[in-house]
Amino acid sequence: MFSTRPLDETLESVREANAPNAPVIDVDADFETLPPAAAEDLGLFVDGLSPASFPVEWLPDSAPDLLRKYAGSTFTIGLPGNGTVVRTAQTDPQSVLVKRRAEGTPDEFLAFLIADRLVQIGVEPAPGSLLERPRESSTGGHRESSTESSSAARLPESFLPFFGDRYRDLDAAVRRPDPDTGASTTGMGPSDVFQIANALFDAWVGLYTREEFAAWEGTHPQLYDAWVDAGERLEGRLDELAGEVARGETSFAAATEYACSAVRHGLDLPAPFAALDTAAYRDRGAAYAVTWAEKTVAAMVDASE
């Protein structure tokens, strides 16, 4: 199911600069979440496995089952929305998985996606942008307690350890549940919260990685051109996003996802998304994201009344 992917000279250079020894692995399947048996086979390509689980208290009662499974003790890798190329922090060293669907991706863009994940591995987030949170990890068949601080010098694998217990706050900000029934009062459900959380995490990561991409113009022009080209493809709709949401043509979750995907390309975002393209978000992380969601959804509700 897995095989080592050969890299050209450019990608080897990116790996050497950002993620030495990180394997890039082709996966002979498309997946949203790798099942345990397949995930364990990754051990043949890395020095060790570090399966992660997260406290159930982080999740609201309405959280999707797939997120509960990901947070649980079963060893799984990946979540919906991760894309064609996936970075996982559950291997040592971290690794990059290329799904089978990559066969239909243009070579230049696929190279950029792989380079992007390699750059992510080397990112060191700003001090204080990731809060210390309880975390359980499993190694060598033993369950042991640790904290997120043990890996705080690197990007989390997904939005769940990024938000931690603040995921419940994000859910409350987006759904604004009725205090008696728990039902959403905004028309947005658990899947919207999931989509928004993933998008906000993507934007936060992009605030770090885009500096590296911009520096490629003189050293890795093909990767730089692919980065610029992907950004240009997003520009057309950006200015219309807020209007599309107000007219009901685009959901707030979809608009957030679109705007957040533009952050790593350094594009100018319209309000209210421009507040996510800031040093404050880069440095404060999940706390800032939740506050942004609270204020933005509150303003949307007020405007609709």
Side-chain angles (χ1 to χ4, degrees):
M1 183 175 185
F2 301 113
S3 60
T4 300
R5 185 182 185 89
L7 302 183
D8 63 19
E9 184 177 347
T10 297
L11 286 177
E12 281 286 9
S13 176
V14 173
R15 174 161 62 179
E16 181 62 28
N18 296 277
N21 303 318
V24 178
I25 301 168
D26 282 329
V27 184
D28 189 24
D30 284 328
F31 64 90
E32 290 183 335
T33 301
L34 272 179
E40 289 170 1
D41 286 345
L42 283 173
L44 299 172
F45 296 84
V46 294
D47 296 337
L49 300 175
S50 301
S53 63
F54 306 99
V56 67
E57 291 81 13
W58 287 1
L59 302 177
D61 293 340
S62 60
D65 288 342
L66 59 88
L67 188 56
R68 291 189 176 280
K69 182 177 180 180
Y70 175 79
S73 59
T74 302
F75 182 25
T76 57
I77 291 175
L79 283 170
N82 282 165
T84 300
V85 182
V86 177
R87 170 183 62 88
T88 180
Q90 296 187 68
T91 62
D92 181 21
Q94 291 191 40
S95 53
V96 175
L97 308 180
V98 183
K99 299 178 184 178
R100 185 169 58 190
R101 74 180 69 163
E103 295 172 358
T105 303
D107 291 344
E108 294 81 3
F109 185 58
L110 179 58
F112 167 70
L113 292 178
I114 294 172
D116 171 63
R117 283 15 173 216
L118 291 170
V119 170
Q120 288 182 24
I121 292 174
V123 167
E124 296 184 14
S129 61
L130 293 173
L131 302 179
E132 290 189 9
R133 304 183 180 98
R135 171 180 172 179
E136 288 186 327
S137 64
S138 174
T139 53
H142 297 28
R143 303 240 9 124
E144 60 182 18
S145 233
S146 63
T147 64
E148 193 66 27
S149 61
S150 64
S151 58
R154 292 291 182 260
L155 297 178
E157 176 178 287
S158 72
F159 68 79
L160 185 56
F162 171 65
F163 281 100
D165 54 3
R166 292 183 185 275
Y167 188 77
R168 297 180 68 94
D169 299 330
L170 182 68
D171 178 84
V174 172
R175 295 196 309 116
R176 305 187 83 181
D178 182 279
D180 296 322
T181 67
S184 173
T185 62
T186 63
M188 290 185 279
S191 61
D192 295 297
V193 180
F194 181 104
Q195 185 177 7
I196 291 168
N198 197 42
L200 291 171
F201 176 63
D202 186 54
W204 180 74
V205 171
L207 289 171
Y208 287 94
T209 58
R210 69 185 187 188
E211 296 177 5
E212 177 76 9
F213 304 156
W216 284 343
E217 184 174 12
T219 57
H220 306 309
Q222 289 182 318
L223 291 176
Y224 176 82
D225 289 345
W227 173 62
V228 171
D229 180 66
E232 290 175 345
R233 294 173 186 271
L234 294 171
E235 283 184 305
R237 282 186 59 202
L238 281 176
D239 290 339
E240 303 299 323
L241 280 181
E244 290 179 9
V245 173
R247 294 189 296 270
E249 298 171 359
T250 300
S251 70
F252 175 66
T256 301
E257 183 176 66
Y258 194 92
C260 287
S261 68
V263 171
R264 68 174 170 176
H265 298 283
L267 304 180
D268 292 331
L269 304 184
F273 306 107
L276 298 172
D277 189 0
T278 60
Y281 185 28
R282 185 181 188 274
D283 295 341
R284 291 178 53 199
Y288 184 98
V290 171
T291 299
W292 175 85
E294 290 171 343
K295 292 181 177 179
T296 302
V297 174
M300 290 170 53
V301 170
D302 291 342
S304 67
E305 293 177 348

